[in-house]
Amino acid sequence: MRIILFLFIFISTLSFAQDKTPVKRDPYLQAPLQAKPLPQKPEDKIKIIHADKIIKDPAKYEGNQYFTGNVQIEHQGSVLTADEVVLYNEENFVKAMGNTKLQNADGSVITAGEMEYDGNTQKGVARKNVVLTDPKQTIKTDILYYDRLANQAYFNTGGTISDSQGNVMYTKSATYFLDTKMIDFVGNVKIDNAQYIIEGVNIKQNQNTNTAEFFGPTTITNRANPKNRVYTERGTYKMGTKEAFLNKNSKIFYNDKILTGDDMYFNQITGFGKATGNVTLDDPKERRYIKGGYGEIFEKKDSAMMTKNPYAVKAMEKDSVYFAAEKILSYQRPDSLDIKIKKSFLRAYKKARIYKSNAQGRADSIAFNETDGIMHMYTKPILWSGEKQVTGDKVEAYFNTKNENIDSLKVIGNAFAISKVDSTNLKDEFNQVKGKFMTVYYEKNDIKEARVVGNAQSIAYVDDTDQETKKPERIGITLSACGIIGALFEERALQIISCSIGATSDTYPMSKIEPSRRKFQDFNWNTKDRIRKWQDILVDSPNNEEIQYTSDNELFDKAQKAIDDEKAKEEAKKPKRTRK
């Protein structure tokens, strides 16, 4: 009996003529009737497979036939089921209502409260609690437009897309390409995951490769630590491996720091990131940033590295400190006394340079404890303050963290301090003090005092004030040697305030001290590499023209000439022996 009923329904759908009243379609399905010629082949027609009832009521559906009860129709391999279906036979068009379900040949399924389907264009519209599922994801929305020929689905009324990876996407508008499993989001998009949240505009997501492409401002936020996030305006994100490839106006926020660059990479699992081009690593808490051509960050170690002409700027209230080298590292470590407190460190390797308004220096490497204000200079360090120069095997500088000035220096091994006697002239006159170890004290941002321990020696020019002219008058040079020397750097003089342990000290008038004794053998006054402005640190050496100083040997030469003349006279008085 059921077979007979089915045949009756099937034959009726082919033979009953429909009214000519055009069906009221969704605008998405509207097209001139003449532009859609009727199918020529029987297999192109929508087929009724089953229905409990076939009805034709002039007062309902403009007199078109409709089917009720477990209705099942088929077209081009896709099967539509519903509680009720209206068939517009001449237009090859159906409207389905109640528990509608479209099973497509590719395995995708659409369920909705109602559907419209055009067999000629193979386009359809699903409404009311629409759900599209396939092996890759589930789409939920109010209205879904789908095109079986193009094999794509589209919605613009807001919806969610859930995939097998646990991602949930919220968007106003999206197009899903069923062949390539690509989702093209338009407008504001939010992708929610257990580990991160992606928010942006104009995102394309490939469900086969589990990759998202960004074509507008987009942010990837770490759910566990929302401060750690990635921002870009053009990039690619591998959602499985949590790798971001960023190409335009990009920033990586991590541990209260910000990394920017022309092209960037970041792995949210390992916490490793890198950037090339115009790279900047900004640390607002430390008020310090580093610039260079290439940079790397290690989020879990809270460290970073910058190369390719890098330099760092430590901003201070009244002054700033500039660092440069071939490589600069920055990192944070817990305080040994309190692990809740983190200390910040900066290290500059190979040909390191530093500039501060009252102190400039260079060494093979520099290590700076930013928290405690301690700076170490290793391997041939040299530090200038005004017209004073300090060198040694190692230099340690101690900054006052409150007023941000240098309080003191420690010079360890071959300590040597040089001061120009008078910076207003080019005379070859330098006060010098040296020894094994030296502590240098600052006052008002300038070197004021030095304490030298171990084989301490000094060369100091001595002046006195002429009572008539009230101008300084050169007395001579004092040579001192002690176990410990205390020296005071004054405006034009090096005053030896203490000389203890095996002390010897002699003052020689300028006429009595030869030029070779006015400088220590390892005298190393350096004007070629002297850093005068902060931009000088951007090169290995400013390569200044060496300053040529003039020696004032007039008194010594005159006295020496007098001695030589006297010797000559004495020689002349001696009787001459003649050989017989």
Side-chain angles (χ1 to χ4, degrees):
M1 184 67 185
R2 289 187 176 181
I3 296 175
I4 295 174
L5 177 61
F6 168 73
L7 292 173
F8 172 76
I9 294 172
F10 181 72
I11 294 169
S12 299
T13 62
L14 297 176
S15 58
F16 288 174
Q18 300 282 342
D19 291 344
K20 299 298 183 182
T21 304
V23 62
K24 294 181 180 179
R25 301 165 177 253
D26 184 280
Y28 175 71
L29 303 176
Q30 288 288 358
L33 191 61
Q34 63 270 21
K36 300 190 301 177
L38 291 177
Q40 300 298 316
K41 299 178 181 178
E43 59 267 24
D44 292 334
K45 294 286 289 181
I46 296 173
K47 300 179 179 63
I48 303 296
I49 304 301
H50 177 81
D52 290 345
K53 290 183 180 180
I54 177 171
I55 304 170
K56 184 175 183 181
D57 184 349
K60 198 170 184 181
Y61 305 126
E62 294 91 15
N64 289 287
Q65 288 179 350
Y66 65 96
F67 305 84
T68 63
N70 300 311
V71 183
Q72 183 176 346
I73 67 175
E74 185 273 337
H75 186 256
Q76 299 291 346
S78 295
V79 178
L80 173 65
T81 59
D83 294 338
E84 186 174 334
V85 174
V86 182
L87 175 63
Y88 299 85
N89 193 46
E90 290 189 4
E91 297 183 35
N92 204 27
F93 184 87
V94 296
K95 284 187 176 182
M97 293 151 287
N99 297 312
T100 61
K101 179 179 179 181
L102 178 63
Q103 179 77 53
N104 292 307
D106 61 4
S108 62
V109 178
I110 301 174
T111 60
E114 59 184 47
M115 292 188 191
E116 294 181 21
Y117 179 71
D118 187 333
N120 296 326
T121 62
Q122 298 191 41
K123 292 182 178 180
V125 179
R127 300 186 189 86
K128 298 178 182 179
N129 301 320
V130 182
V131 179
L132 184 154
T133 59
D134 70 6
K136 293 295 182 181
Q137 71 275 301
T138 300
I139 299 176
K140 295 181 179 180
T141 185
D142 284 336
I143 301 175
L144 181 72
Y145 305 92
Y146 58 93
D147 185 336
R148 291 185 58 225
L149 290 177
N151 218 13
Q152 65 185 43
Y154 164 77
F155 66 85
N156 60 4
T157 53
T160 64
I161 302 175
S162 306
D163 63 24
S164 58
Q165 306 298 319
N167 300 307
V168 180
M169 291 143 269
Y170 306 87
T171 183
K172 177 71 181 298
S173 178
T175 301
Y176 178 44
F177 300 88
L178 282 82
D179 285 339
T180 61
K181 306 303 179 188
M182 176 73 75
I183 304 173
D184 188 354
F185 299 95
V186 179
N188 296 326
V189 185
K190 180 180 180 181
I191 302 177
D192 209 337
N193 183 278
Q195 289 81 37
Y196 58 84
I197 298 172
I198 300 176
E199 294 177 286
V201 296
N202 299 339
I203 296 176
K204 290 184 179 182
Q205 183 185 4
N206 190 312
Q207 299 290 42
N208 283 332
T209 61
N210 203 20
T211 300
E213 290 186 80
F214 311 129
F215 298 89
T218 305
T219 303
I220 307 171
T221 304
N222 186 315
R223 185 180 286 278
N225 187 355
K227 284 185 177 181
N228 290 4
R229 62 195 187 277
V230 173
Y231 172 85
T232 188
E233 294 178 11
R234 181 72 176 90
T236 302
Y237 185 61
K238 293 185 177 181
M239 303 171 74
T241 58
K242 311 294 188 297
E243 293 176 283
F245 302 84
L246 317 171
N247 310 116
K248 181 181 178 183
N249 297 334
S250 307
K251 298 180 179 180
I252 298 173
F253 298 81
Y254 78 103
N255 302 341
D256 298 314
K257 302 171 185 64
I258 308 167
L259 180 69
T260 60
D262 294 340
D263 289 289
M264 304 175 69
Y265 165 85
F266 186 63
N267 187 314
Q268 289 185 311
I269 296 177
T270 64
F272 171 74
K274 62 181 179 179
T276 58
N278 298 305
V279 183
T280 300
L281 176 61
D282 192 8
D283 190 339
K285 276 193 172 183
E286 286 296 330
R287 301 177 64 194
R288 183 249 299 136
Y289 63 86
I290 309 173
K291 288 182 175 290
Y294 176 80
E296 293 181 355
I297 61 172
F298 305 86
E299 178 186 340
K300 294 181 179 180
K301 293 182 179 181
D302 207 353
S303 64
M305 179 271 292
M306 193 80 71
T307 60
K308 292 187 177 180
N309 303 316
Y311 69 92
V313 180
K314 174 79 172 179
M316 297 182 175
E317 290 294 340
K318 299 178 182 179
D319 199 0
S320 295
V321 185
Y322 300 81
F323 297 88
E326 291 185 2
K327 180 190 295 185
I328 295 179
L329 302 182
S330 68
Y331 59 94
Q332 289 187 315
R333 293 291 182 269
D335 190 339
S336 58
L337 300 178
D338 187 353
I339 61 173
K340 295 180 181 178
I341 299 176
K342 281 190 173 183
K343 292 189 175 183
S344 295
F345 300 87
L346 188 78
R347 291 197 173 184
Y349 289 100
K350 291 189 177 181
K351 300 178 181 179
R353 289 89 68 189
I354 177 176
Y355 174 88
K356 196 175 185 297
S357 62
N358 67 322
Q360 308 84 41
R362 58 195 312 115
D364 183 68
S365 61
I366 296 175
F368 184 36
N369 181 332
E370 298 176 81
T371 306
D372 296 336
I374 303 174
M375 183 178 71
H376 302 266
M377 303 175 69
Y378 301 96
T379 310
K380 297 181 179 180
I382 179 169
L383 191 140
W384 298 274
S385 286
E387 292 303 310
K388 301 176 182 68
Q389 174 186 294
V390 176
T391 59
D393 293 339
K394 177 185 176 183
V395 173
E396 294 179 359
Y398 296 85
F399 289 78
N400 185 314
T401 56
K402 291 183 179 179
N403 61 28
E404 301 172 342
N405 292 323
I406 296 179
D407 278 345
S408 61
L409 303 175
K410 282 186 179 180
V411 187
I412 303 168
N414 295 310
F416 196 168
I418 305 173
S419 174
K420 183 77 172 66
V421 173
D422 187 351
S423 60
T424 63
N425 62 43
L426 293 178
K427 290 185 177 181
D428 193 15
E429 299 175 336
F430 295 89
N431 292 315
Q432 303 150 62
V433 59
K434 60 179 290 188
K436 288 184 177 179
F437 306 98
M438 183 186 300
T439 303
V440 179
Y441 300 95
Y442 277 71
E443 184 179 292
K444 295 181 181 180
N445 290 331
D446 196 7
I447 292 176
K448 184 63 176 177
E449 187 178 344
R451 186 173 186 270
V452 187
V453 178
N455 297 329
Q457 302 173 66
S458 68
I459 297 175
Y461 282 74
V462 184
D463 291 343
D464 197 5
T465 303
D466 187 287
Q467 296 301 319
E468 294 182 3
T469 64
K470 304 300 182 183
K471 293 182 179 181
E473 184 179 57
R474 179 62 41 79
I475 295 175
I477 297 176
T478 298
L479 305 182
S480 302
C482 322
I484 300 175
I485 284 180
L488 192 65
F489 289 90
E490 296 181 333
E491 184 177 354
R492 290 167 52 90
L494 177 69
Q495 182 180 347
I496 305 303
I497 57 177
S498 64
C499 186
S500 58
I501 306 177
T504 61
S505 183
D506 297 294
T507 300
Y508 300 89
M510 299 305 293
S511 61
K512 298 293 185 179
I513 183 169
E514 56 265 47
S516 62
R517 297 182 64 194
R518 299 176 190 180
K519 293 178 183 176
F520 291 120
Q521 287 187 350
D522 52 351
F523 181 85
N524 58 2
W525 183 255
N526 187 330
T527 59
K528 178 181 177 182
D529 299 322
R530 173 74 186 269
I531 298 169
R532 299 271 181 191
K533 56 185 183 298
W534 83 264
Q535 290 87 349
D536 288 345
I537 69 169
L538 300 179
V539 293
D540 176 28
S541 169
N543 201 24
N544 299 317
E545 185 177 351
E546 286 281 10
I547 297 176
Q548 301 298 319
Y549 297 98
T550 58
S551 298
D552 186 2
N553 301 325
E554 182 180 354
L555 293 177
F556 178 80
D557 291 342
K558 186 176 181 180
Q560 192 63 44
K561 184 176 185 305
I563 292 172
D564 292 342
D565 290 344
E566 190 64 31
K567 285 182 178 180
K569 288 180 181 180
E570 291 298 324
E571 286 293 328
K573 292 179 181 179
K574 291 180 181 181
K576 298 289 191 289
R577 291 185 179 184
T578 58
R579 181 175 297 178
K580 293 180 180 180

